[in-house]
Amino acid sequence: MGECPCRAKRGGRMSSAETATAAAPDARTERRAKRIAKNLTSFAREHGGSADAVVEYVGAVATRIVVVGADGAWGDQVAPSYAVGRRAAELAGLTLHENFEGELGLKVKTGEYEWKRMAGIQLGG
């Protein structure tokens, strides 16, 4: 790939406007991640002091962070992108997993609501 012609004219340097534009997505990602991390940290604190998480794509425009507390309670939080979701989980100090299988799945404690809901789906309700 060739260099951008506008940069070549300035000896390869980026203008201050280009620098600000290039840095903007990272700053925005960080702000969004910090906002979501507050919720994740609160969840972990309320459910045993620590939590595990899986960050998974929900489609082209969102990411779901599934969180399992030390006490087995679980919940989720939606983030606008995978980068934001992963960074939020990191900022919250969650233990990240690649998938929701094995030990992480076994930690989840399901209640009466979940069992009724699952049975309803099986029974067409």
Side-chain angles (χ1 to χ4, degrees):
M1 280 195 160
E3 187 175 334
C4 173
C6 59
R7 288 188 195 154
K9 290 178 186 176
R10 293 187 308 270
R13 294 184 310 268
M14 292 175 67
S15 70
S16 59
E18 289 173 318
T19 303
T21 303
D26 290 329
R28 186 176 188 195
T29 295
E30 192 70 14
R31 281 193 313 274
R32 288 175 159 184
K34 284 180 180 178
R35 209 172 310 130
I36 293 169
K38 287 180 184 178
N39 295 335
L40 299 174
T41 301
S42 177
F43 178 89
R45 187 175 38 251
E46 292 171 13
H47 295 284
S50 64
D52 295 274
V54 175
V55 180
E56 52 190 22
Y57 290 99
V58 177
V61 296
T63 299
R64 180 179 183 211
I65 308 163
V66 180
V67 187
V68 181
D71 65 356
W74 65 279
D76 64 356
Q77 175 85 44
V78 175
S81 70
Y82 187 85
V84 171
R86 185 160 182 91
R87 182 66 181 139
E90 291 169 352
L91 288 170
L94 306 181
T95 302
L96 286 165
H97 297 266
E98 292 298 316
N99 55 48
F100 199 74
E101 297 175 3
E103 288 184 36
L104 183 58
L106 292 173
K107 288 175 84 172
V108 175
K109 292 183 180 172
T110 53
E112 186 177 337
Y113 169 80
E114 288 85 6
W115 284 107
K116 283 183 180 178
R117 179 84 175 128
M118 288 185 279
I121 291 170
Q122 294 296 319
L123 301 172

